[in-house]
């Protein structure tokens, strides 16, 4: 009947329209200008441990991963990252970023890049250091257009967890505190796993001399002076 033919005709137009629309979206995704996104979780927690603090260098190396939106790049391309404030944290993180990064893994769409974090000072009130890492779209060295809005920045949260799992309150070091352990690492330049028995006397002597030089007592988490028993 005429009505059936009209219905079939309308359905055919709809099917063609849906197919063309999908095809155009795919073409848009892969033919657009190169775009870049952060890859993985939108929050990156970096927990610094004793081996990060015993070193003379005041920083720890960290990394982020980016993903190209669309098809592979045909040539190396630069991008820039900047730090922006995150009001969820009391203190920002002191981050050392490169002036630009270069995407070079042309046979894949993901690549890892490295940067440095200036270690926060170990003091009461941990887990309050944070910021955003964000693509610096207005930097003239940045050669990508903006990708997905929700992947244009990541939260960086820096905290520390220094206490060795093997620490116990046996005679020699007594009860644990971060301040006590930091002093041990400063004096011996070694972490807990590498300490020797004779280090106990070295640390006791060093703390006596520290106070004799007029330095204020080092306080533990409870506000009382540390003791090496």
């Amino acid at each position: 009947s005429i009505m059936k033919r009209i219905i079939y005709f309308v359905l055919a137009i709809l099917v063609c329209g849906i197919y063309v629309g999908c095809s155009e979206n795919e073409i848009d995704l892969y033919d657009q200008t190169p775009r870049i996104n952060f890859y993985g979780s939108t929050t990156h927690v970096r927990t610094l441990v004793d081996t990060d603090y015993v070193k003379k260098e005041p920083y720890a190396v960290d990394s982020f991963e980016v993903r190209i939106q669309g098809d592979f790049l045909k040539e190396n391309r630069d991008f820039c990252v900047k730090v922006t404030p995150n009001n969820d944290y009391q203190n920002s993180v002191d981050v050392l970023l490169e002036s630009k990064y270069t995407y070079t893994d042309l046979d894949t769409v993901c690549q890892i890049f490295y940067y440095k974090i200036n270690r926060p000072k170990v003091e009461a009130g941990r887990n309050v250091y944070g910021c955003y890492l964000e693509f610096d779209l207005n930097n003239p060295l940045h050669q990508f257009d903006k990708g997905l809005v929700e992947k244009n920045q990541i939260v960086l949260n820096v905290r520390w967890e220094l206490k060795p799992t093997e620490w116990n309150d046996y005679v020699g070091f007594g009860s644990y505190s971060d301040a006590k352990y930091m002093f041990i690492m400063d004096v011996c330049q070694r972490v807990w796993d590498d300490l020797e028995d004779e280090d106990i006397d070295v640390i006791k002597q060093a703390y006596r001399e520290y106070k004799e030089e007029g330095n204020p007592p080092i306080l533990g988490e409870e506000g009382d002076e540390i003791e090496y028993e």
Side-chain angles (χ1 to χ4, degrees), residues 34-210:
R35 297 170 187 266
I36 196 169
N37 298 299
F38 284 107
Y39 186 59
S41 172
T42 55
T43 298
H44 175 60
V45 177
R46 174 60 192 270
T47 302
L48 301 174
V49 295
D50 52 5
T51 50
D52 292 306
Y53 278 90
V54 75
K55 297 181 296 187
K56 289 292 188 183
E57 303 86 45
Y59 56 79
V61 175
D62 203 59
S63 66
F64 57 81
E65 188 170 8
V66 301
R67 183 181 178 92
I68 302 301
Q69 183 173 318
D71 210 348
F72 298 143
L73 293 181
K74 294 180 173 59
E75 58 186 7
N76 292 352
R77 192 173 285 264
D78 297 333
F79 68 92
C80 302
V81 176
K82 65 179 179 179
V83 171
T84 55
N86 184 333
N87 294 329
D88 290 339
Y89 299 94
Q90 295 174 25
N91 302 301
S92 185
V93 183
D94 188 4
V95 178
L96 287 74
L97 294 159
E98 302 291 340
S99 58
K100 67 175 183 178
Y101 295 90
T102 304
Y103 194 99
T104 58
D105 286 356
L106 303 184
D107 58 346
T108 183
V109 293
C110 291
Q111 187 172 346
I112 294 174
F113 296 90
Y114 297 91
Y115 64 99
K116 295 175 181 176
I117 298 169
N118 258 338
R119 302 170 312 195
K121 183 180 178 182
V122 175
E123 55 190 9
R126 67 184 61 197
N127 303 344
V128 293
Y129 292 86
C131 64
Y132 290 110
L133 296 184
E134 183 177 313
F135 292 117
D136 193 357
L137 303 175
N138 295 323
N139 192 315
L141 300 177
H142 188 80
Q143 297 179 325
F144 289 87
D145 284 343
K146 188 173 184 177
L148 301 171
V149 172
E150 66 272 18
K151 295 289 187 178
N152 191 58
Q153 65 178 16
I154 54 174
V155 175
L156 172 62
N157 172 216
V158 176
R159 57 185 70 185
W160 61 85
E161 193 62 56
L162 300 183
K163 184 177 181 179
T165 54
E166 303 85 0
W167 185 290
N168 54 50
D169 299 346
Y170 73 87
V171 175
F173 291 106
S175 59
Y176 178 83
S177 75
D178 283 342
K180 177 183 285 190
Y181 190 29
M182 284 294 293
F183 186 79
I184 291 171
M185 289 193 288
D186 288 342
V187 169
C188 298
Q189 290 299 301
R190 291 195 291 276
V191 295
W192 175 267
D193 289 344
D194 300 327
L195 291 178
E196 306 288 346
D197 289 341
E198 54 267 25
D199 286 331
I200 296 174
D201 292 332
V202 171
I203 293 161
K204 287 180 178 178
Q205 179 62 26
Y207 189 57
R208 279 195 294 270
E209 293 174 358
Y210 168 86

